[in-house]
Amino acid sequence: SQKIEQNSEALNIQEGKTATLTCNYTNYSPAYLQWYRQDPGRGPVFLLLIRENEKEKRKERLKVTFDTTLKQSLFHITASQPADSATYLCALETTDSWGKLQFGAGTQVVVTP
Amino acid sequence: NAGVTQTPKFQVLKTGQSMTLQCAQDMNHEYMSWYRQDPGMGLRLIHYSVGAGITDQGEVPNGYNVSRSTTEDFPLRLLSAAPSQTSVYFCASSYSPNGEKLFFGSGTQLSVL
């Protein structure tokens, strides 16, 4: 069966350090992988999209890598700040399921001063 | 621009009651979708639409109906509410169904007693 796995344990990190989140998937051949941020009581907000033929994408302090051999994406927040505290969701879309973005359960990040 | 607007924000129903969750977007997006989010689980796709008059089922469609008579609106109908439908519901939209970021509404928290 298809699975998207994100670490269910919260990631506690000190301000200024780099937070690294993992998204592993099985039985998918994703065309795109996306990362979203979700704050309590709010809808997810899009952060980054990476295509299957791209290895890395950056946006300000955020970096995403995509390894289709390992079936894994890593999401990095560099120089983390307390305002980065939130839950981060990864989502996959495959070429045979357009319109059906599949989400992981998310990883909570807590940045302490 | 308001983006994606969902109403109501909170709703309590009794088992067997029916209701409609409203979703409207003002970005002229062709693609709209409904997800439910339960604790410890990823967002799960209920129904989606790639344009006015076109709808399709997602991962968990049972107990829900949708229609898309206009580009802007995509209501979700609960036919006969059950306690298993207690969840947070999110509506989302994007320019197209593949490879595009989703814009989410703020969610509807539904409790079925």
Side-chain angles (χ1 to χ4, degrees), chain A residues 4-73:
Chain A
I4 302 170
E5 293 180 335
Q6 295 186 255
N7 197 337
S8 58
E9 286 186 22
L11 178 64
N12 291 286
I13 192 163
Q14 198 171 12
E15 183 176 8
K17 303 291 186 184
T18 296
T20 298
L21 309 179
T22 304
C23 177
N24 295 307
Y25 58 92
T26 56
N27 296 324
Y28 279 103
S29 295
Y32 306 96
L33 190 145
Q34 303 186 30
W35 284 87
Y36 289 78
R37 168 187 173 136
Q38 187 173 23
D39 293 286
R42 293 180 173 260
V45 174
F46 171 80
L47 296 174
L48 283 166
L49 180 151
I50 188 165
R51 292 174 170 76
E52 61 176 333
N53 60 351
E54 297 176 319
K55 297 284 188 196
E56 183 179 297
K57 211 73 169 289
R58 291 174 184 261
K59 178 184 175 183
E60 297 172 353
R61 295 184 294 109
L62 307 179
K63 186 177 85 170
V64 171
T65 62
F66 194 8
D67 190 325
T68 55
T69 302
L70 290 179
K71 296 187 183 296
Q72 181 181 79
S73 173

Side-chain angles (χ1 to χ4, degrees), chain B:
Chain B
N1 283 351
V4 179
T5 303
Q6 285 185 241
T7 56
K9 194 155 180 63
F10 301 96
Q11 183 70 49
V12 178
L13 291 178
K14 293 182 180 177
T15 298
Q17 286 185 316
S18 63
M19 79 157 296
T20 300
L21 277 62
Q22 301 292 344
C23 176
Q25 52 89 11
D26 61 359
M27 297 174 282
N28 202 30
H29 286 171
E30 288 298 319
Y31 175 83
M32 295 186 74
S33 56
W34 277 100
Y35 285 88
R36 62 177 287 174
Q37 188 173 41
D38 301 294
M41 302 185 72
L43 290 155
R44 291 184 292 168
L45 183 64
I46 304 171
H47 285 287
Y48 66 98
S49 169
V50 297
I54 306 169
T55 64
D56 206 346
Q57 296 182 351
E59 181 185 355
V60 288
N62 292 341
Y64 308 95
N65 268 0
V66 292
S67 60
R68 184 99 179 267
S69 56
T70 67
T71 299
E72 295 79 19
D73 300 300
F74 191 45
L76 178 72
R77 296 183 191 83
L78 279 70
L79 308 172
S80 177
S84 60
Q85 293 179 304
T86 294
S87 188
V88 180
Y89 292 83
F90 289 101
C91 179
S93 71
S94 69
Y95 288 106
S96 78
N98 52 285
E100 292 286 342
K101 62 183 179 183
L102 290 180
F103 293 79
F104 282 86
S106 56
T108 295
Q109 187 160 349
L110 176 68
S111 294
V112 183
L113 306 177

